Amino acid sequence: MKITLTGATGFIGKALLQTLAEQGHVVRTAGRRAAPGVAFSRWESTSSVFPPAAVEATDVIVHLAGEPLARRWNEDVKRRILESRVDGTNAVVAAIGKASVQPRLLICASAIGYYGDRGEETLRESSAPGGGYLSEVCVSWESAARQAEAMGVRVVMLRTGIVLGKDGGALAQMLLPFRLGLGGRIGSGNQWMSWIHIDDIVGLVLHAIRTEEFRGPVNATAPNPVRNRDFTRELAAVLFRPALFPVPVFALRLLFGEMHQVILSSQRVMPAAALASGYRFRYTELAAALRAVTA
């Protein structure tokens, strides 16, 4: 199968590209930097023009590109986060509309930030969006992707949770303090964390490619979310370290500014669509996932 991948040099993109290549798919990437061994089209995710060569005669587009979220936000950073997702997705959809042979499937990244801070509520794909900047970004991002449906393209939007893997993502930022015995819960520790192993992110993309009835928003999270205090306890346990030093809210606010609200958000997300479609998660329990990525 011919697949175009954006964001191929990112944390998720690299893992997905490797698996697609191993399975014999013909992959072209589009982005700022080429990935070794595959065809490449240069593209900025804030550009209004997506390269035609990355769309023509392609069966599937997997669109993961976007400015990183995990940093201190200011107005310029927030503008680039929004533009890279919404304008970038609009460019992809516009290129699909102009293609002489259109892809049959667009898989577009999204995030569980769509739901905002929801406390104890159990969230499924049918749940309403929340409030705040990140929720607004996700709503606009998904709306841009869904424009391809009017062209007869099947669209899947992966609302991704906290991705656990060896080579990056949120866990990479947590490991050093925990390995030094300086880790602990964040704030009260009561907030829900919805996580997923990177193998299951890749697995959900492959599942979307081969499952025709799989469409619309999909919660890309494991079926067993945990509270932050339990996450930190499990992480400390697999590293054989204590978890004695809570991270105070004021320290997060100083470090991340407005973005600290996202870190403290409580999102108890269930992957209802994935389970209903027959997807079988490789990692359903946090302890096994953490052992796999810290081994």
Side-chain angles (χ1 to χ4, degrees), residues 270-293:
M270 296 301 297
L275 294 172
S277 72
Y279 181 74
R280 297 184 66 180
F281 283 84
R282 182 172 176 182
Y283 293 94
T284 60
E285 300 297 333
L286 178 63
L290 288 174
R291 283 195 295 269
V293 299

Side-chain angles (χ1 to χ4, degrees), residues 211-252:
T211 308
E212 287 294 328
E213 63 272 20
F214 205 44
R215 63 180 64 236
V218 172
N219 288 336
T221 60
N224 291 300
V226 297
R227 294 189 189 275
N228 172 262
R229 63 171 177 264
D230 298 321
F231 184 99
T232 54
R233 186 187 67 245
E234 292 283 7
L235 179 56
V238 300
L239 295 173
F240 302 101
R241 296 291 190 275
L244 302 176
F245 297 93
V247 180
V249 173
F250 79 85
L252 286 177

